[in-house]
Amino acid sequence: MKLTYKQRIFTYFFIIFALFTVLVIFVEQREEKAQRTESLQDRLDGYAEMIHTYINLNHLSDSNMKQIRTLAEAMPMDIRISIIDNEGKVSFDKDVENLSTLDNHLDRPEIRNASYQGIGSNIRMSASTQQEYLYYAKHYKDYYVRVALPYNI
């Protein structure tokens, strides 16, 4: 079946319009995801600052980092909190009782970025909880504060 000139023009315009619509939807979804990720990072930065302030005000050291649990109770239930010293040893983890089972954390992408840039983030599956998280780490003088929330954007 041969299409008339008007039908061919309509078909071409329709195809171009459909492709343009798909492209706009794709770009908007990527932009929305980027904005939500940035918003989640901003929240995590606020939590990291709150934890750092709590550590300083209470003069906490490696031996009494467990006191952070009281602060963690005021935060979202699904937040992960880790305090990591400059050698990569975890001195506090909200979700892990036996810290000796944890490996050195200096090789984690968010910790590596934080050691060079002051802050770092990474989206990955947690080895201990098997859930995808947005990890956010901030380096302070003697330690890193790493916080994470489930990444379901």
Side-chain angles (χ1 to χ4, degrees), residues 91-109:
S91 55
F92 174 79
D93 192 303
K94 178 180 167 263
D95 297 333
V96 178
E97 288 296 323
N98 187 2
L99 297 178
S100 64
T101 62
L102 298 175
D103 57 346
N104 190 293
H105 278 44
L106 282 182
D107 62 340
R108 303 294 164 94

Side-chain angles (χ1 to χ4, degrees), residues 78-127:
D78 52 358
I79 193 169
R80 296 207 55 203
I81 301 171
S82 303
I83 308 299
I84 302 156
D85 68 16
N86 284 331
E87 286 77 44
K89 181 179 175 252
V90 178
S91 55
F92 174 79
D93 192 303
K94 178 180 167 263
D95 297 333
V96 178
E97 288 296 323
N98 187 2
L99 297 178
S100 64
T101 62
L102 298 175
D103 57 346
N104 190 293
H105 278 44
L106 282 182
D107 62 340
R108 303 294 164 94
E110 65 278 2
I111 299 297
R112 269 188 285 154
N113 288 343
S115 67
Y116 294 113
Q117 300 173 344
I119 60 170
S121 64
N122 188 38
I123 300 166
R124 70 168 189 284
M125 193 71 89
S126 166

Side-chain angles (χ1 to χ4, degrees), residues 18-37:
L19 290 173
F20 180 74
T21 302
V22 168
L23 180 66
V24 166
I25 290 171
F26 176 74
V27 169
E28 284 298 319
Q29 285 180 341
R30 280 187 53 184
E31 186 64 30
E32 178 71 21
K33 186 175 183 177
Q35 287 177 351
R36 287 182 181 201
T37 301

Side-chain angles (χ1 to χ4, degrees), residues 131-146:
Q131 187 175 2
E132 190 174 44
Y133 283 90
L134 171 60
Y135 288 90
Y136 182 86
K138 199 161 189 178
H139 187 233
Y140 297 97
K141 181 182 174 197
D142 298 323
Y143 56 88
Y144 298 87
V145 174
R146 185 181 73 166

